[in-house]
Amino acid sequence: PDADGFIRRYPTWIEHAGWRIPSMPQRIAEEFGFPGADQPEVLLNWRGKPFTYPFVSFVDVYRDLKSEKKQRPADEFRNKIVIIGSTAPSLFDIKGTPMAHIHPGVEIMATAIDNFKNGDYLRERPKWVMKLAALLLIWCMAIALYRQTRIEVFDTVFGALQGALVVLAFAVVNLTDWYLDASAPLSLGLSYFALSRVYYGLSKNWLANSRVQDMENQAQGRRLLAVLAVRLEGATAAQRRRLKGDLDHLVARSRHEA
């Protein structure tokens, strides 16, 4: 099992005292000329939850063999790979897998044999590829922040990139024999995004408070000047003079009241 106790890989062989001992799936592949694997272990390509493969109860087969009148087909197991194993939890041949917390060992064996038979176990991309993708994502966010990209655009683009990465990883693992581990760019990118948003919020509040304080300090020693910019379109010269006179009157009255 991996560090979290889940079975995700199956050994192709083990090395012992200078001998290479093949596992059962690899031995079957060698015997029947199946593709097998050329690496020490493979990442299993799961077909589904437990009991995905056809199965029959051993006791039913045994009783049919002992009975005078056979009920089961005589060629039921012809040209098939038959695995005899237990599925009862009380026999302790159960493991945790990404498909189920309780996965019978015989089903894991069947999955491995299936993978070695068809040669479609999952191929992993080198880890440095996804780490490089994570660094590129972080640098792109850093450059966007440095160039003062609008925060709404920043949030939208980041969300779209993360969603696209999840969709890409899901499509690759379901449509091909490759496994794309997107955990590095997702986790590192999300961490950097969270820190950036927190810093943005704190800096925005700090700048706003600083500007208000500067305005209050300036107001203590001098009068504030308010400037009104008015754009007139289609007004005649007389209307412009009348408006200017009204504004001059308002300014003069404000000075008198001050």
Side-chain angles (χ1 to χ4, degrees):
D2 289 342
D4 58 359
F6 279 10
I7 298 291
R8 295 183 177 88
R9 306 172 189 275
Y10 206 95
T12 306
W13 62 74
I14 59 173
E15 303 281 353
H16 181 73
W19 293 87
R20 176 174 291 183
I21 306 174
S23 63
M24 179 66 73
Q26 178 67 7
R27 184 68 187 89
I28 292 176
E30 294 173 355
E31 181 69 24
F32 292 99
F34 298 149
D38 56 357
Q39 56 194 52
E41 63 179 11
V42 299
L43 186 63
L44 291 175
N45 189 358
W46 301 96
R47 308 307 193 200
K49 295 183 178 181
F51 306 107
T52 298
Y53 294 97
F55 67 94
V56 294
S57 174
F58 179 81
V59 66
D60 293 339
V61 176
Y62 181 75
R63 287 175 178 172
D64 190 71
L65 289 173
K66 301 293 288 184
S67 63
E68 295 182 0
K69 295 183 179 180
K70 310 297 183 184
Q71 301 295 326
R72 309 186 69 87
D75 59 348
E76 183 176 6
F77 302 111
R78 180 177 297 174
N79 297 325
K80 293 181 175 62
I81 298 175
V82 181
I83 308 172
I84 302 176
S86 63
T87 59
S90 58
L91 296 178
F92 303 107
D93 186 20
I94 55 174
K95 304 289 189 297
T97 69
M99 297 292 101
H101 288 282
I102 300 178
H103 207 130
V106 65
E107 283 271 329
I108 300 175
M109 171 73 76
T111 303
I113 294 175
D114 192 0
N115 285 191
F116 281 62
K117 176 179 181 292
N118 296 285
D120 60 352
Y121 54 87
L122 296 179
R123 276 76 171 175
E124 298 180 83
R125 291 290 185 182
K127 294 183 178 180
W128 65 266
V129 174
M130 300 311 299
K131 291 181 179 178
L132 179 61
L135 291 177
L136 289 176
L137 177 62
I138 291 176
W139 272 107
C140 289
M141 289 191 292
I143 293 173
L145 292 174
Y146 177 76
R147 294 186 175 182
Q148 298 182 354
T149 304
R150 290 177 55 191
I151 197 64
E152 295 83 4
V153 176
F154 180 78
D155 293 346
T156 302
V157 172
F158 174 79
L161 287 176
Q162 293 290 86
L165 190 59
V166 172
V167 172
L168 177 63
F170 181 82
V172 167
V173 77
N174 283 275
L175 300 179
T176 69
D177 296 336
W178 287 96
Y179 171 66
L180 190 65
D181 187 3
S183 59
L186 285 174
S187 57
L188 293 178
L190 186 60
S191 300
Y192 185 83
F193 174 78
L195 290 175
S196 302
R197 293 298 276 114
V198 170
Y199 174 78
Y200 172 81
L202 293 176
S203 61
K204 184 178 180 180
N205 293 334
W206 179 80
L207 288 174
N209 295 334
S210 177
R211 290 175 180 175
V212 171
Q213 186 64 36
D214 292 341
M215 293 178 64
E216 291 178 351
N217 294 336
Q218 294 176 4
Q220 292 177 359
R222 65 187 69 176
R223 293 181 178 178
L224 295 178
L225 175 63
V227 179
L228 175 65
V230 181
R231 181 179 180 181
L232 299 177
E233 294 183 358
T236 63
Q239 290 174 336
R240 293 173 182 273
R241 288 194 296 271
R242 188 180 307 112
L243 177 60
K244 183 178 181 302
D246 293 339
L247 292 175
D248 291 341
H249 176 72
L250 290 174
V251 171
R253 189 175 67 180
S254 64
R255 288 177 179 176
H256 176 72
E257 293 177 352

